[in-house]
Amino acid sequence: QKKFGQFCTVGLLINSGSRHEAKYLSGISHFLEKLAFSSTAQFGSKDEILLTLEKHGGICDCQASRDTIMYAVSADAKGLDTVVNLLADVALQPRFSDEEIEMTRMAIRFELEDLNMRPDPEPLLTEMIHAAAYRDNTVGLNRFCPVENTDKIDREVLHSYLRNYYTPDRMVLAGVGIEHEQLVECARKHLLGVEPAWGSGQSEDVDRSVAQYTGGIVKVEKDMSDVSLGPTPIPELTHIMIGLESCSFLEEDFIPFAVLNMMMGGGGSFSAGGPGKGMFTRLYLNVLNRHHWMYNATSYHHSYEDTGLLCIHASADPKQVREMVEIITREFILMAGAVGEVELERAKTQLKSMLMMNLESRPVIFEDVGRQVLATNTRKLPHELCALISQVKSADIKRVVTKMLHKKPAVAALGDLTDLPTYEHIQAALSSKDGRL
């Protein structure tokens, strides 16, 4: 996509992530993310890469998610040739020296320790709810490398994985802020016919399994009484996340689910409410405004090419866990009830404005273009998406919720779980009329 300005964002998106690690050691994607932009066939070290980018005012970044890994560079558009050459080298010709692999092991161990000590449990809970919803398959596989695997992953393991997943048919080269023809020319020059570092043998073992939603519960008993940093202690909280299967981003119901997620909204109980903060969302109005003891109630929607998960995260004092679970299950059941015209319009407008606001930023446009093309070979433009959002009616919300409520819930619980109701109780509450335990 063209975009005004002298800078461009260019990158490779590869259909590879933790969901493809079923036949491998868990944690390979985590390793690849940390090893990105290290020494390659042309560049002797990370410093050399950074110096090359510096000449064009460039920065680089690699992010691995459950289903995609992205290598991206933002730099002056005049340096496009250098940038594409560098990206091709980083993705296809990495050296993986023993020293780099050892450094990565240390970095990952440190990150795992940090993850367990952070006062914000969001990343941990997201892992747990996926593990509960898709037990031992695809998107339920761990995104972070387990400690016991850090020593087992070496160059050979990485090469055998890359041979299967870093193939041309699973890659998209996307660019924002440059001419299409220029990008095609650079791709021809630097990506066509390149022999990757792991050889060009046929990929014979690609995991094409479709996500199987299982539902279930993952509990981690943890003393959360000392997570605070600094002199003022954060109150001890227990965190609960309850989710139900929604749909994939390729289905038509994806848009009604996105509107529903906006309508639920929510956030922390002590965040200041400026404009656009969603103070009229259901989780603010029905939950945080009425139950002052709740610290957080937020709705999330994770979506993949074959499944999706709509979940609500709530946190409160451990003694009030039972009541908190009841309040959240009730909100799920109320989703299937009447949807007010005003709240629906507000959610749709908010979703459109968020979409437009995010697409002001070049890296976001890059990710949007790349991900859509990787998944569907085409791209829906913002105005098409806005038109689809405008068409959502309250009947659509009701329909998607009714379908969703028939599934078994996925539950993640973290903290002091003495008063947590059993999984069977939560499941029964979700199938009842009023959500009572």
Side-chain angles (χ1 to χ4, degrees):
Q1 178 171 323
K2 292 182 195 172
K3 187 166 171 52
F4 180 74
Q6 73 180 76
F7 280 84
C8 66
T9 299
V10 181
L12 275 171
L13 289 92
I14 302 166
N15 185 358
S16 138
S18 55
R19 69 169 296 163
H20 301 107
E21 290 171 9
K23 297 174 184 167
Y24 291 89
L25 288 166
S26 172
I28 292 179
S29 303
H30 194 184
F31 253 79
L32 290 170
E33 177 183 53
K34 291 268 171 288
L35 275 165
F37 295 101
S38 298
S39 67
T40 67
Q42 288 179 39
F43 301 91
S45 65
K46 196 174 210 125
D47 293 345
E48 261 187 57
I49 288 182
L50 295 176
L51 281 168
T52 307
L53 283 173
E54 216 165 84
K55 290 180 190 137
H56 302 284
I59 50 169
C60 60
D61 182 32
C62 175
Q63 287 181 358
S65 62
R66 289 177 192 285
D67 52 2
T68 319
I69 188 162
M70 288 193 300
Y71 296 87
V73 171
S74 287
D76 192 312
K78 290 194 189 82
L80 181 67
D81 193 68
T82 313
V83 167
V84 177
N85 176 30
L86 187 141
L87 281 166
D89 217 40
V90 163
L92 299 173
Q93 308 269 344
R95 278 196 195 155
F96 296 151
S97 71
D98 296 342
E99 190 186 354
E100 285 166 352
I101 288 182
E102 201 41 59
M103 291 290 283
T104 301
R105 286 179 182 143
M106 280 162 59
I108 285 178
R109 283 185 206 121
F110 176 76
E111 193 177 330
L112 293 172
E113 264 175 52
D114 181 54
L115 198 68
N116 287 313
M117 282 158 54
R118 280 171 60 166
D120 165 35
E122 199 53 55
L124 264 182
L125 279 165
T126 305
E127 283 310 303
M128 289 162 64
I129 193 93
H130 278 83
Y134 306 93
R135 197 170 287 286
D136 298 331
N137 76 83
T138 57
V139 289
L141 301 175
N142 200 334
R143 209 163 66 80
F144 298 105
C145 179
V147 178
E148 63 275 10
N149 283 0
T150 48
D151 285 330
K152 296 180 194 156
I153 294 178
D154 55 19
R155 191 184 302 116
E156 215 146 283
V157 173
L158 294 169
H159 275 181
S160 103
Y161 177 84
L162 292 168
R163 197 167 296 123
N164 283 320
Y165 290 101
Y166 277 35
T167 53
D169 54 319
R170 304 178 72 87
M171 292 185 184
V172 165
L173 175 68
V176 174
I178 43 176
E179 294 286 339
H180 179 75
E181 291 313 316
Q182 269 179 304
L183 189 62
V184 174
E185 205 173 303
C186 291
R188 281 214 177 93
K189 187 168 157 191
H190 299 296
L191 283 155
L192 268 191
V194 175
E195 170 90 9
W198 44 88
S200 57
Q202 281 296 308
S203 55
E204 63 277 340
D205 215 5
V206 176
D207 184 356
R208 301 193 193 281
S209 44
V210 176
Q212 301 299 316
Y213 179 83
T214 57
I217 186 164
V218 171
K219 295 190 279 197
V220 176
E221 286 273 357
K222 191 170 164 195
D223 179 11
M224 305 280 273
S225 56
D226 57 354
V227 289
S228 61
L229 306 163
T232 44
I234 295 177
E236 184 185 347
L237 299 176
T238 293
H239 299 270
I240 303 289
M241 211 181 241
I242 297 178
L244 289 163
E245 187 180 22
S246 56
C247 73
S248 93
F249 56 65
L250 300 175
E251 292 174 53
E252 283 178 5
D253 284 348
F254 174 64
I255 303 279
F257 269 118
V259 174
L260 170 68
N261 183 43
M262 255 319 178
M263 199 170 84
M264 298 312 291
S269 60
F270 46 79
S271 64
K277 199 59 201 277
M279 288 313 216
F280 288 96
T281 59
R282 285 196 181 184
L283 293 177
Y284 264 120
L285 294 176
N286 306 352
V287 179
L288 295 168
N289 290 349
R290 292 185 189 174
H291 308 284
H292 59 90
W293 45 269
M294 275 180 70
Y295 274 79
N296 180 350
T298 316
S299 167
Y300 294 95
H301 188 214
H302 304 280
S303 205
Y304 305 98
E305 60 182 5
D306 48 4
T307 181
L309 194 62
L310 183 86
C311 35
I312 296 178
H313 167 207
S315 44
D317 185 278
K319 295 185 190 62
Q320 292 177 294
V321 169
R322 202 183 163 77
E323 201 177 339
M324 168 166 74
V325 170
E326 197 166 277
I327 289 165
I328 297 305
T329 50
R330 194 175 312 143
E331 281 307 309
F332 267 114
I333 288 164
L334 287 173
M335 285 180 195
V339 178
E341 224 18 69
V342 176
E343 76 168 335
L344 182 64
E345 280 312 309
R346 184 181 274 124
K348 279 154 58 169
T349 306
Q350 210 175 343
L351 183 58
K352 283 187 270 191
S353 80
M354 196 177 89
L355 177 76
M356 289 314 208
M357 220 144 52
N358 286 342
L359 288 172
E360 287 286 303
S361 116
R362 207 181 48 247
V364 175
I365 302 176
F366 157 73
E367 192 174 335
D368 178 54
V369 172
R371 278 179 181 277
Q372 286 204 49
V373 174
L374 195 59
T376 61
N377 286 329
T378 56
R379 176 181 183 223
K380 273 202 175 87
L381 292 166
H383 66 264
E384 297 173 57
L385 290 167
C386 285
L388 290 171
I389 294 169
S390 300
Q391 286 164 18
V392 175
K393 299 183 173 53
S394 54
D396 296 324
I397 303 279
K398 209 166 172 166
R399 174 175 51 81
V400 298
V401 172
T402 314
K403 197 163 84 180
M404 178 173 77
L405 284 170
H406 286 313
K407 308 266 169 66
K408 281 167 62 175
V411 183
L414 177 69
D416 173 350
L417 307 178
T418 328
D419 293 341
L420 180 73
T422 64
Y423 178 72
E424 287 68 29
H425 275 128
I426 298 174
Q427 196 178 347
L430 275 168
S431 340
S432 67
K433 289 227 163 31
D434 55 3
R436 292 202 177 280
L437 288 161

